[in-house]
Amino acid sequence: MTNTTLKLLAQQLQLSISTVSRALKDHPDIAASTKAKVHALAQSMDYEPNAYAIQLRTQNSRILGVIVPAISNLFYDSFISAVEEESRKHNYALMIMQSSNQPENELNNLKIFRQNRVSGVFACLSSHPQNLEVYHKMNEREIPIVFFDIVPKDNRFTKVRMADERCATIAAEKVIQRNGKKVLAIFGDPGLSISQKRKNAFQTFMESYAPKIHVTYANASSSLEAGELIHKQYSKTQKFDTVFCMTDEILIGVMKAIQALNIKIPNEVGVITISNGFIPNLYYPKICYVETSGYELGKLAFVQMMANIKGGKTQTELTVDAKFVEGGSL
Amino acid sequence: MTNTTLKLLAQQLQLSISTVSRALKDHPDIAASTKAKVHALAQSMDYEPNAYAIQLRTQNSRILGVIVPAISNLFYDSFISAVEEESRKHNYALMIMQSSNQPENELNNLKIFRQNRVSGVFACLSSHPQNLEVYHKMNEREIPIVFFDIVPKDNRFTKVRMADERCATIAAEKVIQRNGKKVLAIFGDPGLSISQKRKNAFQTFMESYAPKIHVTYANASSSLEAGELIHKQYSKTQKFDTVFCMTDEILIGVMKAIQALNIKIPNEVGVITISNGFIPNLYYPKICYVETSGYELGKLAFVQMMANIKGGKTQTELTVDAKFVEGGSL
DNA sequence: CAAATTATATCAAACGTTTGCGAAACTATT
DNA sequence: AATAGTTTCGCAAACGTTTGATATAATTTG
C-alpha cells in the first residue's frame, strides 16, 4: 500500500494540489467548505505529510542532533531526557548518536547530521584532544552548535557546562564544616580537564581556608582502582576520616571497599561525592553529594539552542550551578 | 554560506548534474578522468549529499525509530546502545523518542516517525493497556515494526523479549540449590504482565519442586515500598533467610533496608535478583542475579529488523535467554 | 451597470537528487 | 568507407511539498 500524497487527495477531490495544501494548513484563501472536504478526506485516507518533501522545500529539517560519549550513562541520559522533553514541546525531533569517546565516531556522526541537514547539534567532545575544524566548518555553514559538559576552550562557540570548580569547592567547604581532619580526595583520569579543574579548585580551597587539615590526593580512573585505593590507605597507620569522590564511578569503588572492610559511615569515615544523585541514594545512609544535574544542563542547552537558531549568534559560556544535597554520610 | 549541491559542482565543471551524480558514485559510464575531477572539486567544496533529496527520490530514509518508556533507564539505555551500534554498522541513523509510559506520547512519536518515513521502528509498549490499531496500520503501510521487552499478545507482529518466565524459574532453582528455607519473594506492580509472568513461574516452580519451602509473596512498585517490606518482615519472629527481588528497583530498596538493619549478606540472609548486572555489582558482596541483558535484546531486535526490511514478514516471537551470574550474596 | 474589490482556486517553479533513455563521439570491424 | 559497437555524457522526468503570481468568479461600490 502506497502512502497518501497531496496529489492523490487532489485527484480524488478534483482540486489542485496547491488548494489541498493550503486547505490543510488553514490558509485564508480557501473556502471553509473546501477545507472541510479536504480535511475529511485527508483524515480518512490517513494522510501524513512527507517530512522529506517539506524539508527539501523549506530547507528546515526541525531535527536536532545530539552527540554523547555514551547513551548508557547516568549523566548523559538525563541530559538527553531533558533535551528530548524540550524538543517535543518545540516540535523538533531528535537524532542521537554516541561517540564512544572515539573522535572517529564523532566525525562520522557529524557527517550524518550534516547530510540530514539538522537544524542544530548538541555536542559533547570525546575526551581525547582533537581539532575543532569540523565544528568551525559547521559554524560557517550556519549550523548552530551547543557544546555541553566537555566543551572546547575556543570562545567562538556556545557552551553550557556544569560549574565544575564550584562543585569541588562546595565539597571542600562541607568537609571542613563537618570537621574532617584527614581527608582522602580521589580524582578521575588526570588527563581529563574536568579532573584537573576539580582538583585545582579543591586544593586551592583547602590550602587557603584550612591549611592545617591533612589531605591526600589520589587518582583513580575506574571503580576498581578507587576500591583498591581505599584498601591500601585504610591499612595504613595514618587512616583517613573523610573521603571525597570526584565522580559516581569512584564512589562506587569506594563504597564497595567500605562495605567489604565493614567501615561504618559516618561514624568511622565520612563520604562526600559529586553526582547527579542516583548512585548516592542507593546506599544507607544516603551519601552526601554536590549535585550536577544532567537534566538541568539539558534544559539550559536547549534554551541556548533556540536562542542560537532564532537570534543568530550567542557566543557565551553558561554554567549550571551546583548545590549541596544532604545525606547521612558526613 | 549556502550548501554545495550537485548543480553547483556541475556548473563549476561544465558538466551535467547527472554526470556529476554518477561520477560521485563510481558509475561505470563515467570516464576515470572525469571522476577524478569531480571528486576533487566535491572534496574541496565540502559537498555533502542532501539526505532529504535522496530520500524523497529513492523513497528510502535509512532511519530507524526507537520508542522506549524512558531513555534514562539502565535496561533501555543498554538496549538503545546495542541498536545504535548495529545501526551504525549497517548505515542507518536512529531516531529515539521516549513515551514516558503515556500512550498519548507513544502515538505522537509514531506520527513523527511516519512523517519522517522511517524504514522501521522498534517499539516498547507503554505499560497501560491500549489498542494496537496504529501498529496495524503501519504494518499495512509496510513499515516494519519490531516490538521489544513489553510486547503485544497479537502474533501478527514481530517480537523480541526477555525470557521472563525462565528468569524467575532459574532464580527459584538457585534459591533451592543454596538451601533457602524461608524465602521472601518481592514482585513489581501486579498490573504489569511481566510481574504476573515472573510470579507465576516462580510460584509454579516452588510449589512443584520444593513444596516444603516457605515462600512469602509480596508486591512493591517502588524501592521505597520494597525497603519498608524488609523492615516489616524482618521484625517478625518468623524471619526470612533469602530474598528474591524481581527488578533492580526492588533490589535497591531491599539493599538499603538491609544496610540500615545491618544484616550480613550472605550469612544472615541471601539475596538474588533479576537484573542487567549494573546495580548488583554496586554492592559488596556482589549480588547474585539472573541476567536480562538489554544489550543482547538490542542486538537480537536489530537482526529481526533487518530480516523484516529485507525478506518481508518474519512474524515470530524470539526471546533472549537468561543466565545466572554468580555473586557472593547467596 | 461598469468598475473596483474580494473571495476562491489554479499555475508553475523550485528544493536536490536519481535514473531510464537517448545522443554524440570514438573505435573497431568488415 | 559504411556499419556496428563502445564509451562517455546530457535530457528530462519524477519524488511530495510550498508559495508567489495569476486567473476566474462572485460581490460590492459609486
Side-chain angles (χ1 to χ4, degrees), chain B residues 245-287:
Chain B
C245 309
M246 195 195 90
T247 64
D248 275 330
E249 239 187 346
I250 292 173
L251 175 68
I252 290 171
V254 167
M255 287 304 292
K256 260 192 185 168
I258 286 183
Q259 290 177 21
L261 293 168
N262 201 20
I263 304 173
K264 300 287 174 246
I265 295 177
N267 297 348
E268 301 179 47
V269 325
V271 178
I272 183 169
T273 186
I274 298 179
S275 169
N276 70 347
F278 180 77
I279 300 284
N281 271 300
L282 254 35
Y283 303 100
Y284 182 91
K286 289 183 189 171
I287 309 303

Side-chain angles (χ1 to χ4, degrees), chain B residues 120-137:
Chain B
V121 3
F122 298 95
C124 175
L125 292 177
S126 49
S127 52
H128 306 289
Q130 59 182 290
N131 73 357
L132 299 169
E133 205 193 338
V134 220
Y135 290 106
H136 279 124
K137 276 198 180 169

Side-chain angles (χ1 to χ4, degrees), chain A residues 6 18 21-22 25 47 57:
Chain A
L6 287 186
S18 33
S21 171
R22 288 189 167 103
K25 29 177 44 87
Y47 171 73
R57 167 64 216 222

Side-chain angles (χ1 to χ4, degrees), chain B residues 19-55:
Chain B
T19 302
V20 174
S21 171
R22 289 188 170 104
L24 285 174
K25 28 178 42 87
D26 250 4
H27 192 287
D29 267 12
I30 308 299
S33 57
T34 330
K35 282 180 189 170
K37 278 185 227 154
V38 173
H39 273 112
L41 187 65
Q43 180 83 19
S44 81
M45 291 185 67
D46 288 319
Y47 170 72
E48 310 248 12
N50 183 318
Y52 298 124
I54 295 176
Q55 284 150 354

